[in-house]
Amino acid sequence: MLEVETKFRIDDPEVVKQRLVRLGASGGPTESHADTYLRHPCRDFVQTKEALRVRRVNGIASVTYKGPKLDVAAIGLKARKEIEWCLAPGDADGMQMQTLFESLGFESVATVQKQRQTFRFEEQSPRSSFTVTVDRVDQVGTYAEIELLIDDGDSDRLAEAGEHIQQLAGELGLVHAEMRSYLSLLLQNS
């Protein structure tokens, strides 16, 4: 799958949440995320625009590889292939996987800590393919992310996905797009 998203800096998350509810979205419980990003021993992920992380959501771990970013920043999008798998039950906290990566020469870069609430629309809704998250990221700020997943083979639909994201952003009053990752923002603020 291709993850197509735009992130927006927000001042008042409660206003965004209220607008989401008015548009028919339901918010899930707030989760605690700790995303530990890893540096490859032989390849510069900054140059290749890739990412590898061990994510812990309320203490349950998964691994995510994010492929190179597609060249769509000019239209205000971030799009890339994403592969994610859960480590539970054998490695629920992810420490075995992190130890394996470190044994293979990977190094931890930083851990992004955030509180995330995810909003979804009903399946019958024309917005059902959207996921919107409201994130309070330690040492970085508060953001709303609008995400669509499209099939790998549908990369010609990126512009259309971007239009849909921008339309929903407008309905939510989101205007301050941020193309940098939370990791980049955290490292810049450190």
Side-chain angles (χ1 to χ4, degrees):
M1 297 296 286
L2 287 177
E3 174 190 62
V4 183
E5 69 181 20
T6 303
K7 169 174 45 248
F8 299 86
R9 184 167 184 83
I10 56 177
D11 295 321
D12 191 343
E14 293 310 313
V15 169
V16 174
K17 292 176 186 182
Q18 290 168 5
R19 289 177 181 158
L20 280 161
V21 170
R22 276 197 297 266
L23 291 174
S26 298
T30 299
E31 301 172 327
S32 294
H33 287 219
D35 298 340
T36 301
Y37 287 86
L38 299 156
R39 180 180 295 123
H40 193 285
C42 306
R43 188 160 76 213
D44 184 351
F45 283 162
V46 173
Q47 294 297 317
T48 62
K49 299 184 185 328
E50 296 171 280
L52 179 66
R53 73 174 179 223
V54 176
R55 168 173 277 177
R56 293 165 180 91
V57 178
N58 296 334
I60 303 298
S62 61
V63 172
T64 307
Y65 165 76
K66 293 184 176 222
K69 294 177 185 173
L70 301 178
D71 189 21
V72 292
I75 58 174
L77 290 176
K78 195 163 44 169
R80 58 188 355 180
K81 183 176 189 166
E82 183 175 304
I83 303 168
E84 186 169 45
W85 64 97
C86 187
L87 297 175
D91 186 16
D93 67 359
M95 290 312 298
Q96 289 179 17
M97 181 58 77
Q98 191 160 334
T99 299
L100 171 65
F101 282 135
E102 290 168 357
S103 296
L104 293 171
F106 287 80
E107 296 176 17
S108 296
V109 175
T111 299
V112 175
Q113 305 267 357
K114 66 181 171 249
Q115 299 297 309
R116 167 172 278 182
Q117 186 174 17
T118 301
F119 289 81
R120 300 186 193 286
F121 295 90
E122 293 182 23
E123 285 190 32
Q124 300 84 352
S125 166
R127 297 182 183 99
S128 63
S129 54
F130 286 101
T131 301
V132 180
T133 61
V134 176
D135 297 329
R136 186 180 51 75
V137 185
D138 293 0
Q139 302 177 38
V140 173
T142 306
Y143 295 83
E145 285 186 359
I146 302 175
E147 175 184 289
L148 284 170
L149 294 177
I150 62 174
D151 290 329
D152 281 349
D154 283 345
S155 59
D156 55 333
R157 292 188 51 222
L158 286 172
E160 180 184 340
E163 291 170 12
H164 293 305
I165 288 172
Q166 288 303 321
Q167 181 180 357
L168 180 56
E171 293 176 52
L172 294 171
L174 303 174
V175 293
H176 304 291
E178 175 58 68
M179 296 304 297
R180 294 170 293 177
S181 69
Y182 292 143
L183 176 61
S184 294
L185 292 167
L186 177 66
L187 294 174
Q188 176 184 321
N189 292 341
S190 297

